[in-house]
Each structure stands twice: as structure tokens, then as C-alpha cells.
Amino acid sequence: MDPTGLDLPPLAAAFVFGLLGGAHCIGMCSGIMSALTFAVPPSMRSPMRLSGLMLGYNAGRIASYMVAGALVASLGTLLTLSAELRLALQAFAAVMLILMALYIADWWKGLLKVEALGKRLWRHLEPFGRRLMPVVQVPQAVALGAIWGWLPCGLVYSMLAWSLAVADPWRGAALMGAFGLGTLPALLVTGMAARQMGALIRHPATRSVAALTIIAFALWQLWALLPTGSAPLAH
């Protein structure tokens, strides 16, 4: 079953979703990436070391997404998901994506209420992350990234709705892994060139273009879910 309702293979669609959501990842996580980069002592801040740490952070983060995807998809195995409910979950994911785009462009901040749902869990996890600072070794970076992956994020939550529709832990994990890989380029660039990227990322035009692109992708999903859309609902 294609949880996106699109003609794209599910993992390819999840990867594209991550790419388009990269602007939100940059806006939300660029401060974290910058702090992690500049927390490394100057004498140890070689390109090789920083590259290893950035990859470590993101490997841990993506691993957490995959665990979350497997857990949420496991719930789907306990539920009887009708075709109508699967359709509703797919539509919900698309609407979440539109709300995310509005948030990225700073046109509407209502999605902050959704992200607030995960703050209770984050309050318990965040102190463990602090104990790993400053990070100077790759294993530390992987561990911190694994904690960071549970940071409240509406983009991740909308992707988890797709994982629930999959109703298969392995496929749910793979879907979230593909999504995480899609977000990787934006966060790696931010981590390695934090100061240079800051002004460009904060520019209203950059954020607006990213938001409009995401909205177009979400509308494409919704169109595909209509009876007259280009792609029928997969069972």
C-alpha cells in the first residue's frame, strides 16, 4: 500500500517529503546544529571531525524517527484500519503539511499547538542530552542525535500519520528512515556552514518559496485522494 496516495513508490514519496520539509528543519534545528558545531573546542574543530559529528547527530536522529515509525505502525496492526480510515489518515498528513508550510513562511503559527503535544516527553529527555555536551566524539554525537530525534516537530508528526496507515512496523520504520534521509541535506549544510546559511534561511523570500513548494506537494496529495484524482486509493 502507498500511504501517500500518490503514484510515487512510498519510500521515494517519503524522501521527497523530507526534502521539501528541509526548510522547516533548518528553521527549527539550525540553532541546535550551530550550538553543537560551535561547542566543539576551536582546537578540535577540523573539517574531518565536524563532518563526523554532523553525520553522527543525524544518524542518531534518523534512527529515532525509525523507532517512532515502527512503534506507531505497530498500533496500526492492533487496529482494524478500514479504507475510509486510511484515506482520512492520508488526508490528515496532507493537511498537516499545509499547516507546516504556513508555519515555515511565518503566515500562521497554529501548528505550535500541535508541537506542544510532545513537550512533556521532551522535558524528560532533554536533560539527558545536556549531559552529553560538549560533544567531541562520534558515539556522543549519535547518542545526542537519538535524543534530539524526539524533539516535538509537526513535520515528523504528519509523517507518523502515514506510518500509522502502513500498519507494519518494518515498513513504518523504513518510511520514517526515508523521510529522515530527505531532511539530511538541509541539516548537514546548516551544520557545516551555520553562519553563512543563517541570513539566507531567515530571508522571507526563501521561506515563502519553500512554503509554496510544500503546499503544492500537499495539494497534489489531496488531489490524488479524490475519486477523480490521478491515483486511486491503494488497499
Side-chain angles (χ1 to χ4, degrees), residues 143-168:
L144 185 57
I147 295 172
W148 171 21
W150 297 95
L151 185 73
C153 175
L155 185 66
V156 174
Y157 296 161
S158 59
M159 192 67 205
L160 287 174
W162 291 357
S163 298
L164 178 60
V166 166
D168 180 298

Side-chain angles (χ1 to χ4, degrees), residues 3 81 84-94 158 161-162 164-166:
L81 296 182
E84 291 77 13
L85 181 53
R86 291 181 189 275
L87 182 67
L89 288 171
Q90 293 166 17
F92 171 73
S158 59
W162 291 357
L164 178 60
V166 166

